[in-house]
Amino acid sequence: MGGEDKVENGHAKKEEEEEMMMTVERVFESKEVPSWRQQLTLRAFMVSFVLSILFSFIVMKLNLTTGIIPSLNVSAGFLGFFFIKTWTKVLEKSGMLQVPFTRQENTVIQTCVVASSGIAFSGGFGSYLFGMSKRIAIQSGSTPGADDYKDPSLSWIIGFLFIVSFLGLLAVVPLRKIMIIDFKLTYPSGTATAHLINSFHMPEGAKLAKKQVKALGKFFSFSFLWGFFQWFYTAADSCGFASFPTLGLKAFENRFYFDFSAMYVGVGMICPYIVNISLLLGGILSWGLMWPLIEKKAGDWYSADLKPSSMHGLQGYRVFISIAMILGDGLYNFCKVLRRTLFGLYHQIRDKNSLPRVVNGSPTESSQLSFDDQRRTSLFLKDQVPTSFAVGGYIVIAIISIITLPHVFHQLKWYHILVMYLAAPTLAFCNAYGCGLTDWSLASTYGKLAIFVIGAWAGASHGGVLAGLAACGVMMNIVSTASDLTQDFKTGYLTLASPRSMFVSQVIGTAMGCVISPCVFWLFYKAFKDLGLSTSAYPAPYASIYRSMAMLAVEGFSSLPKNCLALCYGFFAASIVVNAIRDYVPKKYSRFIPIPMAMAIPFYLGSYFAIDMCVGSLILFLWERMDKTKADAFGPAVASGLICGDGIWTLPSAILALAGVKPPICMKFLSRAANNRVDGFLNSS
């Protein structure tokens, strides 16, 4: 009996290993991939339009209350599948179904919805655009002149968005192959969305696929229910598990804590170990060392009476040192990519052959690729968006913008716009590259850079405040749509959706957003007369912050705190040096050298999300140590489930907020001394 049990267990183990060998594209191998035109269906865009309206309301609500917008890629993919699947099931029962619903069509819906609802963020309705209004100018404590404000109007907002929202798409199209195939950037949200879409469309009979879907569903349910449970304890600001001082109150003040985010634990499981470690090191260097030391210089390096959000104080160091590191890392990698591209182009002209794929300086043989990668790469390179079209389109739209934008904002001169459009491709690459590493789009950071550069250039006497805010809008729209498109290219790569259908879907979604988002904002603006006031239910906090930064910009960089520029120069140079060392030392050493782009993000935001991501890395590391085969097979599914559940919870939580339903409990954590004061106050009353 013992021998028979051993044989049966051996067969079971062998069967399980064979199941794990069944990769995603092996499962879909028998299914024909539709052409890029067949992926763009009327029903897909009808569903996208409905979902775009829903998501735009959600993003607008978040914009005008907290200003914190989570990634909605996963939610869009999930709801797109649900709507179309319900539709096709009804048609199938009635015998009217002619075209089956494919994962490529699902990806088109997700791309279109995210592009459309993304305009609700990059359009600046809760930041730079609303910050132009007279209401916010008065709220910021100034008496604006005629050139210092521009009240919202539906006509000029829609026109402005149509002028500036398409350049970012064209800016990164020529770099799509390098970002997705050569650099193999992760794009965690895009990867999670692709896993979700693939899992929903798995053909019957694939045992491993079913197990992966089951694992995804299990952790999706856990993540969703965990988000729902946390909601009950967030009745006011700084309430709930997200404000749990897990490492102590002092560490919490310096943004070192685990905030119980299932989403970022999942992101940590998808991101490479070195990215997560780099994030944590960046948080330790900045919030653990630099900021406490600089804070002690209050009264010497900067005024001790400033508000925490003032760019004249500690916040100025956080923002500008972060920008310096991001620019140093991004520009280094841009130059590296440009060198490789020119080198490949030289060989293409010389040999009259196609541009070879280069990884780490040497051509990669297709035999070294897995079946999945071979199939995905082949189809990804099949339907290309011509580079000549992208470059030509960029030039044409740039010319139109240079002519028309000064008529919308007369404070913004043609030469300001020209300089921004010359710099935009580099910055778009920086943002898309950083997003691929860490899943963070830093569009608002680049927008702040534009505020200071253009605002200082225009000066106070020539409407520098409004010029800076308008420049922020131009830059934010370009870099935001660039990272969105590359994220969608990654999703399309993993679901075999054509890059051409991804691009067309993104263009149509962006056009939808340029109309839907202003209309949604206009409803809020007209319905709530106190919109933007600090006492309002919709205070739009970032509108005042962005206007304050623009007011600082017109005073010039000399108004920045002491030694800030010197530190920026040092960190900019350090980013370039660290990247150069990573490239030129052997791989066995370079994999331990942190990535400056990833280190820069916690400089501004804090370390809480980095701790979440490191927890995700630790879970995956321990899992790999115990059973690497299962970890490789089920790790992405578990991570996707955690990201998806938390992402989907955004929808009901936002709907509850829109309906005015507030959580019943506020769970706060106080020091012993603060608790004694509260008890004393309550007992005395």
Side-chain angles (χ1 to χ4, degrees):
M1 288 294 289
E4 287 173 6
D5 286 342
K6 275 188 179 179
V7 171
E8 285 174 8
N9 289 339
H11 281 311
K13 188 173 182 183
K14 186 178 179 183
E15 225 173 81
E16 192 173 340
E17 287 175 357
E18 285 175 357
E19 287 168 12
M20 291 182 180
M21 291 293 288
M22 178 71 78
T23 61
V24 172
E25 296 310 327
R26 287 285 185 194
V27 174
F28 286 104
E29 190 176 8
S30 60
K31 289 201 169 188
E32 183 183 354
V33 178
S35 68
W36 71 272
R37 285 188 175 88
Q38 291 173 326
Q39 295 171 22
L40 303 168
T41 63
L42 179 61
R43 68 187 179 192
F45 290 116
M46 289 174 65
V47 169
S48 297
F49 180 75
V50 173
L51 290 178
S52 293
I53 295 173
L54 172 64
F55 277 65
S56 293
F57 268 100
I58 292 167
V59 174
M60 197 65 66
K61 164 75 176 184
L62 296 170
N63 243 336
L64 297 172
T65 50
T66 63
I68 300 171
I69 317 295
S71 172
L72 296 172
N73 293 45
V74 168
S75 305
F78 182 87
L79 287 175
F81 174 83
F82 174 76
F83 273 85
I84 292 285
K85 203 65 179 175
T86 305
W87 183 344
T88 54
K89 192 171 285 187
V90 172
L91 290 177
E92 190 174 9
K93 286 182 179 179
S94 62
M96 297 171 62
L97 182 64
Q98 295 179 343
V99 181
F101 181 42
T102 64
R103 56 182 176 143
Q104 289 80 23
E105 187 180 356
N106 202 156
T107 308
V108 164
I109 294 171
Q110 178 267 332
T111 299
C112 189
V113 173
V114 171
S116 179
S117 59
I119 299 295
F121 164 71
S122 62
F125 300 101
S127 54
Y128 67 84
L129 190 142
F130 192 33
M132 298 177 184
S133 66
K134 188 174 184 179
R135 187 182 302 178
I136 296 298
I138 294 170
Q139 179 78 1
S140 299
S142 64
T143 305
D147 282 346
D148 291 331
Y149 72 91
K150 188 177 182 71
D151 282 323
S153 168
L154 208 54
S155 57
W156 75 256
I157 293 175
I158 292 175
F160 170 71
L161 291 176
F162 266 106
I163 291 169
V164 302
S165 295
F166 296 94
L167 279 162
L169 306 180
L170 297 167
V172 295
V173 163
L175 299 172
R176 63 198 176 278
K177 173 182 171 289
I178 293 167
M179 305 282 265
I180 305 300
I181 296 176
D182 293 349
F183 275 13
K184 290 181 168 54
L185 294 176
T186 309
Y187 292 100
S189 284
T191 299
T193 306
H195 278 296
L196 181 74
I197 292 172
N198 283 334
S199 69
F200 283 140
H201 294 268
M202 287 287 186
E204 292 179 5
K207 292 182 181 178
L208 176 60
K210 286 183 177 180
K211 289 180 181 178
Q212 287 173 325
V213 171
K214 188 176 179 181
L216 188 148
K218 188 187 298 181
F219 283 91
F220 169 89
S221 301
F222 165 76
S223 181
F224 181 87
L225 292 172
W226 175 240
F228 180 46
F229 176 75
Q230 288 188 84
W231 175 81
F232 281 96
Y233 301 91
T234 56
D237 291 340
S238 302
C239 292
F241 287 90
S243 299
F244 196 125
T246 43
L247 301 176
L249 289 168
K250 189 64 179 176
F252 182 81
E253 287 175 15
N254 287 287
R255 303 191 188 181
F256 279 95
Y257 58 95
F258 177 64
D259 73 347
F260 296 91
S261 169
M263 175 177 283
Y264 284 106
V265 171
V267 171
M269 292 178 71
I270 290 177
C271 282
Y273 293 132
I274 189 59
V275 171
N276 298 332
I277 296 300
S278 298
L279 288 165
L280 187 59
L281 286 175
I284 293 170
L285 177 62
S286 55
W287 291 86
L289 183 65
M290 288 179 60
W291 305 156
L293 289 175
I294 293 175
E295 199 169 9
K296 290 180 180 178
K297 299 291 184 180
D300 179 13
W301 285 18
Y302 59 92
S303 172
D305 300 324
L306 296 171
K307 293 180 180 179
S309 60
S310 172
M311 297 297 290
H312 293 282
L314 186 58
Q315 187 75 346
Y317 294 96
R318 293 171 184 162
V319 171
F320 280 95
I321 292 174
S322 175
I323 288 174
M325 291 181 71
I326 291 164
L327 290 178
D329 187 294
L331 288 172
Y332 175 88
N333 282 285
F334 181 80
C335 293
K336 184 169 71 173
V337 169
L338 183 63
R339 179 182 64 82
R340 289 183 178 180
T341 304
L342 293 175
F343 184 74
L345 187 61
Y346 165 75
H347 281 282
Q348 183 186 34
I349 295 170
R350 190 186 66 178
D351 303 332
K352 294 183 179 180
N353 205 344
S354 59
L355 182 66
R357 191 167 82 83
V358 176
V359 180
N360 295 329
S362 61
T364 302
E365 299 295 334
S366 61
S367 60
Q368 294 176 317
L369 297 174
S370 67
F371 175 81
D372 279 15
D373 286 339
Q374 286 186 45
R375 193 170 189 221
R376 288 166 177 167
T377 301
S378 173
L379 287 166
F380 188 78
L381 298 176
K382 181 182 174 185
D383 295 322
Q384 293 297 311
V385 180
T387 301
S388 57
F389 169 81
V391 174
Y394 188 92
I395 292 170
V396 169
I397 295 177
I399 292 170
I400 293 171
S401 300
I402 289 168
I403 295 170
T404 56
L405 273 180
H407 293 285
V408 180
F409 304 103
H410 66 85
Q411 299 88 346
L412 196 64
K413 305 304 180 185
W414 66 268
Y415 44 85
H416 296 151
I417 304 164
L418 176 62
V419 168
M420 283 192 290
Y421 284 168
L422 290 174
T426 303
L427 300 180
F429 169 80
C430 291
N431 194 46
Y433 177 77
C435 187
L437 282 174
T438 64
D439 208 33
W440 281 90
S441 172
L442 296 173
S444 59
T445 305
Y446 294 109
K448 290 165 190 167
L449 179 65
I451 287 177
F452 282 93
V453 173
I454 303 300
W457 187 0
S461 60
H462 296 92
V465 171
L466 215 59
L469 290 170
C472 173
V474 173
M475 193 58 69
M476 268 186 70
N477 275 281
I478 292 173
V479 298
S480 178
T481 52
S483 65
D484 286 348
L485 180 59
T486 46
Q487 186 97 257
D488 291 329
F489 275 147
K490 181 68 174 185
T491 305
Y493 171 77
L494 294 172
T495 59
L496 302 191
S498 166
R500 197 171 290 183
S501 67
M502 292 291 91
F503 180 76
V504 172
S505 179
Q506 185 89 15
V507 168
I508 292 173
T510 302
M512 285 183 186
C514 289
V515 177
I516 293 171
S517 292
C519 291
V520 171
F521 171 74
W522 197 245
L523 286 174
F524 276 89
Y525 186 67
K526 289 296 182 182
F528 304 101
K529 301 301 180 184
D530 60 349
L531 185 74
L533 302 181
S534 58
T535 54
S536 168
Y538 302 97
Y542 279 96
S544 296
I545 290 171
Y546 273 65
R547 186 170 185 93
S548 297
M549 285 192 286
M551 291 169 66
L552 172 64
V554 299
E555 299 172 15
F557 285 105
S558 58
S559 63
L560 285 174
K562 189 177 178 182
N563 298 319
C564 183
L565 282 180
L567 287 168
C568 287
Y569 291 142
F571 277 93
F572 179 86
S575 292
I576 294 173
V577 171
V578 170
N579 270 300
I581 293 171
R582 279 179 56 85
D583 278 348
Y584 289 104
V585 300
K587 191 174 181 180
K588 62 180 180 179
Y589 300 119
S590 67
R591 63 195 182 97
F592 295 110
I593 300 174
I595 302 168
M597 177 76 79
M599 289 182 69
I601 297 170
F603 270 58
Y604 178 52
L605 296 171
S607 299
Y608 58 94
F609 71 96
I611 292 173
D612 295 345
M613 291 172 70
C614 283
V615 169
S617 276
L618 180 62
I619 291 169
L620 186 64
F621 176 77
L622 294 175
W623 193 0
E624 286 177 340
R625 297 280 295 195
M626 290 186 290
D627 192 335
K628 191 173 190 320
T629 308
K630 278 195 173 181
D632 290 343
F634 292 101
V638 170
S640 297
L642 291 172
I643 294 171
C644 294
D646 208 346
I648 292 296
W649 168 246
T650 304
L651 286 175
S653 64
I655 291 168
L656 287 170
L658 280 171
V661 179
K662 294 184 178 180
I665 303 168
C666 173
M667 182 173 69
K668 278 198 175 184
F669 301 91
L670 306 173
S671 66
R672 185 188 301 121
N675 185 65
N676 289 338
R677 288 197 298 271
V678 171
D679 285 346
F681 173 77
L682 293 174
N683 291 332
S684 64
S685 59

